[in-house]
mmCIF file of all heavy atoms in Angstrom:
data_model
loop_
_atom_site.group_PDB
_atom_site.id
_atom_site.type_symbol
_atom_site.label_atom_id
_atom_site.label_comp_id
_atom_site.label_asym_id
_atom_site.label_seq_id
_atom_site.Cartn_x
_atom_site.Cartn_y
_atom_site.Cartn_z
ATOM 1 N N THR A 1369 -3.588 29.391 6.115
ATOM 2 C CA THR A 1369 -4.584 29.112 5.080
ATOM 3 C C THR A 1369 -5.887 28.714 5.744
ATOM 4 O O THR A 1369 -5.892 27.861 6.633
ATOM 5 C CB THR A 1369 -4.114 27.985 4.147
ATOM 6 O OG1 THR A 1369 -2.868 28.361 3.551
ATOM 7 C CG2 THR A 1369 -5.139 27.714 3.055
ATOM 8 N N PHE A 1370 -6.994 29.329 5.313
ATOM 9 C CA PHE A 1370 -8.300 28.988 5.868
ATOM 10 C C PHE A 1370 -8.847 27.758 5.153
ATOM 11 O O PHE A 1370 -8.933 27.725 3.928
ATOM 12 C CB PHE A 1370 -9.271 30.159 5.713
ATOM 13 C CG PHE A 1370 -10.656 29.872 6.254
ATOM 14 C CD1 PHE A 1370 -10.909 29.909 7.613
ATOM 15 C CD2 PHE A 1370 -11.687 29.535 5.392
ATOM 16 C CE1 PHE A 1370 -12.173 29.637 8.105
ATOM 17 C CE2 PHE A 1370 -12.948 29.265 5.879
ATOM 18 C CZ PHE A 1370 -13.194 29.319 7.245
ATOM 19 N N VAL A 1371 -9.235 26.737 5.911
ATOM 20 C CA VAL A 1371 -9.781 25.484 5.372
ATOM 21 C C VAL A 1371 -11.172 25.283 5.986
ATOM 22 O O VAL A 1371 -11.304 25.155 7.203
ATOM 23 C CB VAL A 1371 -8.881 24.284 5.705
ATOM 24 C CG1 VAL A 1371 -9.503 22.999 5.189
ATOM 25 C CG2 VAL A 1371 -7.495 24.473 5.122
ATOM 26 N N PRO A 1372 -12.245 25.247 5.170
ATOM 27 C CA PRO A 1372 -13.589 25.044 5.719
ATOM 28 C C PRO A 1372 -13.813 23.596 6.137
ATOM 29 O O PRO A 1372 -13.174 22.681 5.630
ATOM 30 C CB PRO A 1372 -14.506 25.457 4.559
ATOM 31 C CG PRO A 1372 -13.676 25.243 3.339
ATOM 32 C CD PRO A 1372 -12.256 25.512 3.721
ATOM 33 N N TYR A 1373 -14.760 23.420 7.059
ATOM 34 C CA TYR A 1373 -15.098 22.072 7.517
ATOM 35 C C TYR A 1373 -15.794 21.267 6.420
ATOM 36 O O TYR A 1373 -15.514 20.084 6.231
ATOM 37 C CB TYR A 1373 -16.025 22.137 8.743
ATOM 38 C CG TYR A 1373 -15.369 22.687 9.988
ATOM 39 C CD1 TYR A 1373 -16.055 23.524 10.856
ATOM 40 C CD2 TYR A 1373 -14.053 22.367 10.300
ATOM 41 C CE1 TYR A 1373 -15.460 24.032 12.000
ATOM 42 C CE2 TYR A 1373 -13.445 22.871 11.432
ATOM 43 C CZ TYR A 1373 -14.154 23.703 12.289
ATOM 44 O OH TYR A 1373 -13.557 24.187 13.409
ATOM 45 N N ALA A 1374 -16.744 21.890 5.715
ATOM 46 C CA ALA A 1374 -17.562 21.189 4.731
ATOM 47 C C ALA A 1374 -17.312 21.777 3.354
ATOM 48 O O ALA A 1374 -16.928 22.947 3.219
ATOM 49 C CB ALA A 1374 -19.044 21.317 5.086
ATOM 50 N N PRO A 1375 -17.510 20.999 2.287
ATOM 51 C CA PRO A 1375 -17.316 21.509 0.921
ATOM 52 C C PRO A 1375 -18.310 22.627 0.598
ATOM 53 O O PRO A 1375 -19.408 22.691 1.142
ATOM 54 C CB PRO A 1375 -17.561 20.264 0.042
ATOM 55 C CG PRO A 1375 -17.418 19.103 0.960
ATOM 56 C CD PRO A 1375 -17.840 19.570 2.309
ATOM 57 N N PHE A 1376 -17.897 23.535 -0.270
ATOM 58 C CA PHE A 1376 -18.720 24.617 -0.807
ATOM 59 C C PHE A 1376 -19.162 25.596 0.294
ATOM 60 O O PHE A 1376 -20.215 26.216 0.191
ATOM 61 C CB PHE A 1376 -19.954 24.070 -1.530
ATOM 62 C CG PHE A 1376 -19.687 22.846 -2.335
ATOM 63 C CD1 PHE A 1376 -20.418 21.685 -2.159
ATOM 64 C CD2 PHE A 1376 -18.672 22.833 -3.291
ATOM 65 C CE1 PHE A 1376 -20.165 20.556 -2.891
ATOM 66 C CE2 PHE A 1376 -18.417 21.708 -4.031
ATOM 67 C CZ PHE A 1376 -19.167 20.570 -3.829
ATOM 68 N N SER A 1377 -18.416 25.724 1.380
ATOM 69 C CA SER A 1377 -18.770 26.658 2.443
ATOM 70 C C SER A 1377 -17.503 27.259 3.029
ATOM 71 O O SER A 1377 -16.566 26.540 3.356
ATOM 72 C CB SER A 1377 -19.570 25.939 3.541
ATOM 73 O OG SER A 1377 -19.820 26.824 4.621
ATOM 74 N N ASP A 1378 -17.501 28.587 3.154
ATOM 75 C CA ASP A 1378 -16.374 29.296 3.754
ATOM 76 C C ASP A 1378 -16.741 29.924 5.092
ATOM 77 O O ASP A 1378 -15.993 30.748 5.630
ATOM 78 C CB ASP A 1378 -15.861 30.408 2.801
ATOM 79 C CG ASP A 1378 -15.161 29.808 1.593
ATOM 80 O OD1 ASP A 1378 -14.730 28.649 1.692
ATOM 81 O OD2 ASP A 1378 -15.063 30.498 0.571
ATOM 82 N N LYS A 1379 -17.897 29.562 5.650
ATOM 83 C CA LYS A 1379 -18.352 30.192 6.880
ATOM 84 C C LYS A 1379 -17.702 29.570 8.113
ATOM 85 O O LYS A 1379 -17.286 30.271 9.019
ATOM 86 C CB LYS A 1379 -19.875 30.094 6.974
ATOM 87 C CG LYS A 1379 -20.601 30.855 5.867
ATOM 88 C CD LYS A 1379 -22.105 30.750 6.027
ATOM 89 C CE LYS A 1379 -22.837 31.515 4.930
ATOM 90 N NZ LYS A 1379 -24.305 31.414 5.070
ATOM 91 N N GLU A 1380 -17.627 28.249 8.171
ATOM 92 C CA GLU A 1380 -17.075 27.556 9.326
ATOM 93 C C GLU A 1380 -15.840 26.782 8.902
ATOM 94 O O GLU A 1380 -15.879 26.039 7.929
ATOM 95 C CB GLU A 1380 -18.108 26.602 9.931
ATOM 96 C CG GLU A 1380 -19.331 27.307 10.492
ATOM 97 C CD GLU A 1380 -20.282 26.331 11.151
ATOM 98 O OE1 GLU A 1380 -20.005 25.121 11.089
ATOM 99 O OE2 GLU A 1380 -21.291 26.768 11.726
ATOM 100 N N GLY A 1381 -14.766 26.967 9.641
ATOM 101 C CA GLY A 1381 -13.533 26.276 9.322
ATOM 102 C C GLY A 1381 -12.427 26.696 10.279
ATOM 103 O O GLY A 1381 -12.678 27.251 11.350
ATOM 104 N N MET A 1382 -11.204 26.428 9.892
ATOM 105 C CA MET A 1382 -10.045 26.725 10.729
ATOM 106 C C MET A 1382 -8.923 27.314 9.882
ATOM 107 O O MET A 1382 -8.847 27.083 8.667
ATOM 108 C CB MET A 1382 -9.542 25.460 11.437
ATOM 109 C CG MET A 1382 -10.404 25.021 12.592
ATOM 110 S SD MET A 1382 -9.572 23.766 13.601
ATOM 111 C CE MET A 1382 -10.701 23.643 14.965
ATOM 112 N N TYR A 1383 -8.035 28.040 10.555
ATOM 113 C CA TYR A 1383 -6.825 28.578 9.927
ATOM 114 C C TYR A 1383 -5.679 27.602 10.211
ATOM 115 O O TYR A 1383 -5.437 27.227 11.357
ATOM 116 C CB TYR A 1383 -6.511 29.962 10.480
ATOM 117 C CG TYR A 1383 -7.530 31.004 10.094
ATOM 118 C CD1 TYR A 1383 -8.669 31.202 10.861
ATOM 119 C CD2 TYR A 1383 -7.355 31.781 8.951
ATOM 120 C CE1 TYR A 1383 -9.609 32.149 10.506
ATOM 121 C CE2 TYR A 1383 -8.291 32.734 8.599
ATOM 122 C CZ TYR A 1383 -9.421 32.913 9.375
ATOM 123 O OH TYR A 1383 -10.353 33.857 9.013
ATOM 124 N N LEU A 1384 -4.996 27.156 9.151
ATOM 125 C CA LEU A 1384 -3.962 26.132 9.265
ATOM 126 C C LEU A 1384 -2.599 26.693 8.889
ATOM 127 O O LEU A 1384 -2.484 27.504 7.961
ATOM 128 C CB LEU A 1384 -4.271 24.926 8.372
ATOM 129 C CG LEU A 1384 -5.141 23.824 8.991
ATOM 130 C CD1 LEU A 1384 -6.569 24.305 9.155
ATOM 131 C CD2 LEU A 1384 -5.092 22.575 8.131
ATOM 132 N N VAL A 1385 -1.595 26.217 9.602
ATOM 133 C CA VAL A 1385 -0.190 26.478 9.271
ATOM 134 C C VAL A 1385 0.441 25.129 8.933
ATOM 135 O O VAL A 1385 0.363 24.187 9.731
ATOM 136 C CB VAL A 1385 0.555 27.145 10.446
ATOM 137 C CG1 VAL A 1385 2.035 27.279 10.123
ATOM 138 C CG2 VAL A 1385 -0.042 28.505 10.744
ATOM 139 N N PHE A 1386 1.027 25.002 7.739
ATOM 140 C CA PHE A 1386 1.619 23.766 7.261
ATOM 141 C C PHE A 1386 3.142 23.844 7.406
ATOM 142 O O PHE A 1386 3.757 24.869 7.089
ATOM 143 C CB PHE A 1386 1.267 23.508 5.789
ATOM 144 C CG PHE A 1386 -0.196 23.289 5.554
ATOM 145 C CD1 PHE A 1386 -1.046 24.363 5.328
ATOM 146 C CD2 PHE A 1386 -0.737 22.015 5.562
ATOM 147 C CE1 PHE A 1386 -2.394 24.168 5.112
ATOM 148 C CE2 PHE A 1386 -2.079 21.818 5.341
ATOM 149 C CZ PHE A 1386 -2.909 22.897 5.116
ATOM 150 N N GLN A 1387 3.749 22.721 7.799
ATOM 151 C CA GLN A 1387 5.205 22.627 7.929
ATOM 152 C C GLN A 1387 5.670 21.335 7.270
ATOM 153 O O GLN A 1387 5.110 20.254 7.525
ATOM 154 C CB GLN A 1387 5.612 22.643 9.411
ATOM 155 C CG GLN A 1387 7.096 22.928 9.637
ATOM 156 C CD GLN A 1387 7.413 23.175 11.099
ATOM 157 O OE1 GLN A 1387 6.577 22.950 11.965
ATOM 158 N NE2 GLN A 1387 8.607 23.629 11.384
ATOM 159 N N ASP A 1388 6.655 21.428 6.397
ATOM 160 C CA ASP A 1388 7.139 20.272 5.652
ATOM 161 C C ASP A 1388 7.787 19.262 6.603
ATOM 162 O O ASP A 1388 8.627 19.626 7.437
ATOM 163 C CB ASP A 1388 8.152 20.720 4.590
ATOM 164 C CG ASP A 1388 8.431 19.636 3.585
ATOM 165 O OD1 ASP A 1388 9.135 18.674 3.941
ATOM 166 O OD2 ASP A 1388 7.951 19.745 2.454
ATOM 167 N N ALA A 1389 7.399 17.967 6.455
ATOM 168 C CA ALA A 1389 7.925 16.939 7.351
ATOM 169 C C ALA A 1389 9.370 16.575 7.023
ATOM 170 O O ALA A 1389 10.053 15.985 7.862
ATOM 171 C CB ALA A 1389 7.058 15.679 7.278
ATOM 172 N N ASP A 1390 9.852 16.913 5.833
ATOM 173 C CA ASP A 1390 11.236 16.591 5.466
ATOM 174 C C ASP A 1390 12.208 17.688 5.904
ATOM 175 O O ASP A 1390 13.243 17.401 6.522
ATOM 176 C CB ASP A 1390 11.340 16.393 3.948
ATOM 177 C CG ASP A 1390 10.570 15.181 3.488
ATOM 178 O OD1 ASP A 1390 10.362 14.275 4.313
ATOM 179 O OD2 ASP A 1390 10.179 15.144 2.313
ATOM 180 N N THR A 1391 11.865 18.933 5.567
ATOM 181 C CA THR A 1391 12.805 20.037 5.794
ATOM 182 C C THR A 1391 12.437 20.922 6.974
ATOM 183 O O THR A 1391 13.278 21.671 7.465
ATOM 184 C CB THR A 1391 12.886 20.901 4.534
ATOM 185 O OG1 THR A 1391 11.596 21.479 4.281
ATOM 186 C CG2 THR A 1391 13.301 20.073 3.328
#
Side-chain angles (χ1 to χ4, degrees):
T1369 302
F1370 179 78
V1371 178
Y1373 292 141
F1376 320 126
S1377 175
D1378 289 339
K1379 296 181 180 180
E1380 296 183 356
M1382 285 193 172
Y1383 293 87
L1384 272 71
V1385 175
F1386 296 87
Q1387 196 170 10
D1388 194 286
D1390 294 336
T1391 63

